[in-house]
């Protein structure tokens, strides 16, 4: 009984007070332990506040190191940001021709039920979806159930919901924008299902009490759409082939794009996520290499430049081992300007890669002299030189962009 009493919280407090009253040294140690515990709790609270507080005071969040090992089993998947699909609505169920037969009354009248409606094909914006790779080419909803006798209607088919990323733009066959899923939970009915047919019970009248006719279920809509992502990443790695874009994305995230010593190893964009200690995640896209006259459909052409248009900010990756790296910056900006002049108004950072190569320091000094108004960050993606500085600069640009968007939204409201 005493053991049970002392195991409770009140019993432990009374026992502690009794022991401390008999031994003053134990009482002093108990007070010291309580003070140390309160001091540790205050430090933990301050660290938690500094870690998860916003960066409104000018502080920049520190990037978190990727502790988990990269997967080496499944092949890396590229981002699918455009897809042409065919949406087919479900067919309605057929009505039933039936006549009720009761004991002593063989002609009790028609009792054919109606068919169920076909399902719709619905696109739904979801935050946990990042690409369109899971969307199949042909989307078909279920058909409605046929009618039964004894006035039993067929069951309506369930709708076919297809989750797509937030910001998906839907275009019809003529290229016109018919839907913009800009917020989570917004839905767009792509193809409506057919209506169920009426059974012969529906057609019974005072003059025609035994109709032998029923309706067939209506066919669902068959439409073709083009799904496009309006935004694929916060930062896009823009540069010439073999500038080190894929190596950089491998170094700062858990993405695994292909790296090889020949040009155009990246034919489709790959995404990588950078996490910071303020619980913010920045998405970076490795875009295919750009060459001169890409706006004239040379190389990967316009199919590549459309990826640049869907990035919030740009990282111009320049190879410092090239003879004149500043000329590549002018070419990159010229190609983007010819494709869309509004893209150049977005925030930009010049990433001077391969700083560890001989002669790169001289090219870096000349690059800074020729582009004094641009922010240039020198790195070595292969050896991991100055990557933390680059990640902090990216976070600062991301925070400034987000604050401007929120301020514009407040002014609009």
């Amino acid at each position: 009984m005493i053991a049970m009493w002392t195991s409770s919280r009140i019993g432990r407090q009374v026992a502690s007070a009794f022991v401390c009253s008999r031994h003053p040294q134990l009482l002093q140690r108990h007070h010291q332990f309580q003070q140390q515990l309160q001091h540790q709790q205050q430090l933990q609270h301050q660290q938690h506040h500094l870690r998860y507080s916003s960066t409104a005071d000018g502080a920049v969040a520190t990037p978190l190191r990727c502790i988990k090992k990269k997967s080496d089993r499944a092949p890396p998947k590229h981002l699918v940001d455009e897809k042409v699909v065919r949406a087919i609505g479900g067919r309605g169920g057929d009505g039933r021709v039936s006549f009720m037969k009761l004991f002593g009354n063989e002609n009790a009248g028609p009792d054919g039920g109606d068919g169920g409606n076909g399902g719709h094909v619905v696109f739904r914006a979801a935050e946990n979806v990042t690409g369109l790779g899971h969307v199949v080419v042909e989307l078909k909803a279920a058909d409605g159930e046929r009618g039964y006798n004894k006035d039993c209607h067929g069951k309506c088919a369930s709708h076919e919901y297809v989750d797509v990323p937030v910001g998906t733009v839907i275009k019809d066959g003529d290229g016109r924008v018919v839907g913009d899923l800009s917020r989570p939970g917004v839905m767009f009915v792509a193809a409506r299902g057919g209506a169920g047919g009426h059974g012969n019970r529906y057609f019974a009248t005072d003059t025609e009490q035994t109709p032998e006719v029923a309706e067939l279920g209506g066919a669902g809509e068959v439409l073709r759409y083009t799904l496009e992502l309006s935004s694929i990443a916060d930062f896009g790695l823009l540069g010439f082939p073999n500038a080190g874009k894929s190596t950089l994305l491998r170094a700062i995230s858990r993405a695994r794009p292909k790296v090889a010593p020949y040009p155009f190893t990246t034919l489709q964009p790959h995404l990588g996520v950078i996490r910071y200690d303020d619980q913010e995640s920045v998405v970076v896209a490795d875009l295919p290499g750009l060459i001169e006259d890409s706006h004239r459909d040379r190389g990967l052409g316009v199919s590549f430049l459309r990826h640049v248009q869907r990035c919030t900010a740009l990282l111009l990756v320049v190879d410092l081992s090239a003879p004149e790296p500043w000329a590549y910056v002018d070419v990159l900006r010229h190609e983007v300007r010819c494709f869309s002049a509004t893209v150049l108004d977005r925030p930009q950072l010049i990433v001077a890669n391969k700083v560890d190569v001989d002669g790169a320091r001289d090219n870096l000094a000349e690059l800074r002299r020729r582009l004094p108004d641009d922010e240039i960050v020198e790195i070595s993606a292969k050896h991991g030189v100055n990557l933390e500085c680059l990640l902090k600069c990216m976070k600062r640009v991301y925070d400034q962009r987000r604050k401007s968007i929120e301020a514009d939204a407040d002014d609009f409201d």
Side-chain angles (χ1 to χ4, degrees):
M1 190 66 168
I2 296 175
M4 294 177 59
W5 181 73
T6 54
S7 63
S8 63
R9 181 174 61 86
I10 300 176
R12 288 195 301 270
Q13 292 178 356
V14 174
S16 177
F18 177 76
V19 173
C20 292
S21 62
R22 293 296 184 91
H23 301 278
Q25 296 179 354
L26 294 178
L27 180 61
Q28 184 178 3
R29 292 180 182 178
H30 178 71
H31 289 319
Q32 292 178 356
F33 174 76
Q34 292 292 337
Q35 292 177 358
Q36 292 178 359
L37 183 62
Q38 292 179 0
H39 182 65
Q40 290 179 359
Q41 291 178 352
Q42 291 178 358
L43 289 178
Q44 291 178 358
H45 177 72
Q46 292 176 0
Q47 293 176 358
H48 182 276
H49 178 71
L50 290 175
R51 179 176 181 179
Y52 297 105
S53 61
S54 62
T55 58
D57 55 350
V60 179
T62 305
L64 298 178
R65 183 179 179 84
C66 296
I67 301 176
K68 187 176 179 181
K69 182 182 176 182
K70 294 183 181 181
S71 174
D72 53 358
R73 294 184 179 180
K77 296 182 180 180
H78 64 271
L79 174 69
V80 179
D81 60 346
E82 184 178 7
K83 179 166 284 191
V84 179
V85 297
R86 185 166 174 256
I88 305 174
R91 186 180 183 86
D94 299 335
R96 181 71 178 268
V97 177
S98 176
F99 294 94
M100 184 180 297
K101 295 180 180 180
L102 300 176
F103 179 76
N105 185 5
E106 296 183 355
N107 300 320
D111 65 344
D114 301 339
N117 299 327
H120 304 333
V121 178
V122 182
F123 293 117
R124 179 174 54 189
E127 292 182 320
N128 58 345
V129 182
T130 57
L132 301 174
H134 66 285
V135 181
V136 297
V137 178
E138 185 172 283
L139 304 170
K140 189 178 186 308
D143 298 335
E145 195 175 10
R146 64 181 180 88
Y148 296 93
N149 57 353
K150 297 182 181 179
D151 290 335
C152 292
H153 299 325
K155 184 173 65 174
C156 295
S158 58
H159 303 313
E160 181 71 17
Y161 292 97
V162 181
D163 290 337
V164 294
V166 178
T168 302
V169 177
I170 304 173
K171 298 181 180 179
D172 59 3
D174 299 330
R176 296 173 300 182
V177 177
V178 294
D180 187 4
L181 308 182
S182 58
R183 298 188 307 275
V186 178
M187 291 182 287
F188 174 79
V189 180
R192 297 183 178 275
H198 294 294
N200 63 339
R201 177 71 178 84
Y202 176 81
F203 297 99
T205 60
D206 295 339
T207 57
E208 182 62 36
Q209 298 183 358
T210 58
E212 297 182 0
V213 63
E215 287 182 341
L216 297 175
E221 294 180 336
V222 180
L223 299 172
R224 188 179 298 273
Y225 295 98
T226 301
L227 306 180
E228 295 182 1
L229 297 185
S230 60
S231 177
I232 62 175
D234 300 313
F235 288 89
L237 297 176
L238 180 64
F240 275 70
N242 290 119
K245 302 184 296 298
S246 300
T247 306
L248 176 59
L249 187 64
R250 277 177 169 264
I252 62 178
S253 68
R254 299 187 69 248
R256 296 182 294 117
K258 183 178 179 181
V259 176
Y262 54 86
F264 295 109
T265 56
T266 303
L267 300 178
Q268 297 291 339
H270 291 263
L271 295 184
V273 180
I274 305 171
R275 292 179 174 85
Y276 292 84
D277 59 3
D278 61 347
Q279 301 301 299
E280 287 285 349
S281 298
V282 177
V283 182
V284 184
D286 177 22
L287 305 179
L290 180 144
I291 61 176
E292 195 171 358
D293 292 336
S294 292
H295 67 281
R296 298 179 180 176
D297 215 9
R298 183 185 175 188
L300 297 179
V302 180
S303 62
F304 153 74
L305 287 171
R306 62 182 175 86
H307 300 306
V308 182
Q309 198 173 11
R310 297 171 188 171
C311 297
T312 307
L314 300 178
L315 295 178
L316 305 182
V317 183
V318 180
D319 185 3
L320 288 179
S321 62
E324 296 181 354
W326 50 88
Y328 291 93
V329 178
D330 298 334
V331 174
L332 291 175
R333 290 177 173 173
H334 174 70
E335 296 299 324
V336 175
R337 185 184 300 107
C338 294
F339 179 75
S340 177
T342 58
V343 178
L344 287 180
D345 297 334
R346 301 174 185 177
Q348 298 180 19
L349 280 177
I350 297 179
V351 181
N353 193 18
K354 303 181 183 180
V355 73
D356 56 312
V357 182
D358 295 338
R361 292 292 179 180
D362 298 335
N363 289 337
L364 177 62
E366 184 65 19
L367 181 65
R368 293 184 183 276
R369 189 185 68 82
R370 290 177 176 267
L371 302 174
D373 298 332
D374 294 312
E375 184 175 1
I376 302 174
V377 183
E378 68 278 7
I379 65 164
S380 175
K382 182 178 180 179
H383 299 285
V385 177
N386 208 26
L387 291 181
E388 186 174 358
C389 179
L390 173 62
L391 296 180
K392 289 184 178 180
C393 293
M394 293 170 57
K395 187 60 169 61
R396 187 183 69 251
V397 173
Y398 173 80
D399 291 338
Q400 292 175 356
R401 179 72 175 179
R402 186 183 59 180
K403 291 176 183 177
S404 63
I405 293 176
E406 293 176 354
D408 294 340
D410 295 338
D411 294 340
F412 180 77
D413 294 337

